[in-house]
Amino acid sequence: MYKKLYALIDCSSFYCSCERAFRADLKGKAICVLSNNDGCIISLTPDTKALGFKMGTPYYQIKDDLAQKGVAVFSSNYCLYADMSKRIVKIIRSFSDFVEQYSIDESFVQFEANTNNIEQERIRLHALAEEIHFTILKKTGVPVRVSIAETKTLAKVGSEYTKCLIKQGIVPAVCFWEHPDKDGYMKTLPVNDVWGIGRQWSKKLEMSGIKTAKDLSMANPDLLKKNYSIVMERTARELSGFSCILFELVAPERKSLVRSRMFSHKITDAKYLKQAISFHLARASEKLRSDKLMATELSIFMSTGRHTEITKYSYAHQTLLRPTNDIIILAEVADKLFKECYVKNDKFGNEYKYSKAGVSLSGFSSIDKQSEPLFDIGITERPALMKILDGLNRKFGKHTVVLASMGVPKKLQKIEAAKDDAIEWGMKRGLMSKRFTTVWEEILQVKI
């Protein structure tokens, strides 16, 4: 007989590992990566954590302390991280056709095990887990933890178990299915460390005497559903070895698409707000076309943020006459909405200082399911032009051809680079590394 098992492949300190992969001098060095506008820590290596630094801590509060302790600090480099993630997933797909990319740094993989000889299968699967680990490490330089178990939730528990292996100097790869240490480890794993159990739920569970993953696996699932939620019931069943969480080979259907960004400094000029909105709209429409979708709802918004003397949040929305992903049509609607939305001063004449702007698209339908409109509504789709536009920007680099409302192409081409804040509405990323894998000018050079 054959049994379905689930492997979780989780990249260790992913953003930091991507930075270290292209910098030999960072080997063994403490690293952390900052959020947008160099706001706070969003990724850190275990040695950085050991120095007392925590996730979510504002950078300005610990800037000097990080420098004093020799921690290498980087601004977020999403182009690099996204490309490295694609490379890792491609390697994972060489081991199985059944891959679910759960997040940028985590993927689930489905395997089958022969239950007629469990011990022999465990040895085979453990070797497979190690092979996946070493293959990804060799081809990308990114270390991963690999755990194989009966359910997704147990695979997550197994991934936590591999952290213990790292401390012992052992390869972080394990077949957790029928593992002799599984029950003992689950008795020590706090319930708040179980996948899907947040702080609030863990407090209530602990008050009921459920303090560990093992306690939750032995709890009455019907009572958990009645007293908590169906999610809690499923988690308990998963911990006891019954698979309840679907394996999603196809990503869930997108409901909405939001593009926005905080500015590196406050903006008062309507021209720059328009450029930012036009930029986000162009990127969103490009994503729609790549996903073969069309939208029927468009919204734009801008905000001063909460931490200003004079606060303002503006929003405008329109339902489109027909579904579209044509940036020219969307830009015309956005221009109209901007005029409705933008307010320069308050009633006392004080100027609003905006810190964020963005767009939202929704009401999606597939391009393949579109039909010709019954009546002529005076809107002309340009699928061939959009294909040429996307092709040119792929071949010659992002923002080679843009709408005039977005600004100057040469400036826009710096939008993802370390000089991002050179754009009036760009982000602050003064500590960003090079985009080693996606920009010719920034590819790593080896001098002999």
Side-chain angles (χ1 to χ4, degrees), residues 270-281:
K271 178 178 74 173
Y272 297 133
L273 283 171
K274 271 188 177 181
Q275 285 182 3
I277 288 171
S278 185
F279 170 81
H280 294 310
L281 186 61

Side-chain angles (χ1 to χ4, degrees), residues 312-330:
K312 178 69 176 177
Y313 177 80
S314 297
Y315 169 88
H317 169 268
Q318 183 170 317
T319 300
L320 308 176
L321 292 174
R322 61 173 294 183
T324 186
N325 58 25
D326 188 312
I327 181 55
I328 299 174
I329 295 172
L330 292 168

Side-chain angles (χ1 to χ4, degrees), residues 231-242:
V231 175
M232 189 69 73
E233 177 205 6
R234 287 174 182 167
T235 301
R237 291 187 187 277
E238 285 251 329
L239 287 172
S240 62
F242 295 95

Side-chain angles (χ1 to χ4, degrees), residues 96-162:
S96 172
D97 294 327
F98 304 99
V99 178
E100 175 192 337
Q101 186 173 3
Y102 180 68
S103 65
I104 193 171
D105 62 344
E106 292 177 290
S107 291
F108 286 105
V109 184
Q110 199 174 76
F111 294 113
E112 281 192 342
N114 189 338
T115 56
N116 292 327
N117 192 332
I118 292 176
E119 188 56 34
Q120 184 176 328
E121 280 293 83
R122 281 196 63 257
I123 294 170
R124 179 183 72 83
L125 291 167
H126 178 81
L128 176 61
E130 287 192 336
E131 184 184 356
I132 293 170
H133 166 84
F134 284 118
T135 303
I136 293 173
L137 182 63
K138 180 181 179 181
K139 292 187 176 182
T140 68
V142 175
V144 298
R145 303 191 307 276
V146 186
S147 61
I148 302 174
E150 305 95 299
T151 69
K152 285 184 173 182
T153 305
L154 281 173
K156 281 273 190 178
V157 173
S159 186
E160 291 296 315
Y161 174 79
T162 59

Side-chain angles (χ1 to χ4, degrees), residues 241-258:
F242 295 95
S243 181
C244 302
I245 301 175
L246 293 175
F247 190 81
E248 297 178 344
L249 284 172
V250 180
E253 194 172 293
R254 184 186 288 276
K255 301 296 183 184
S256 64
L257 175 57
V258 179

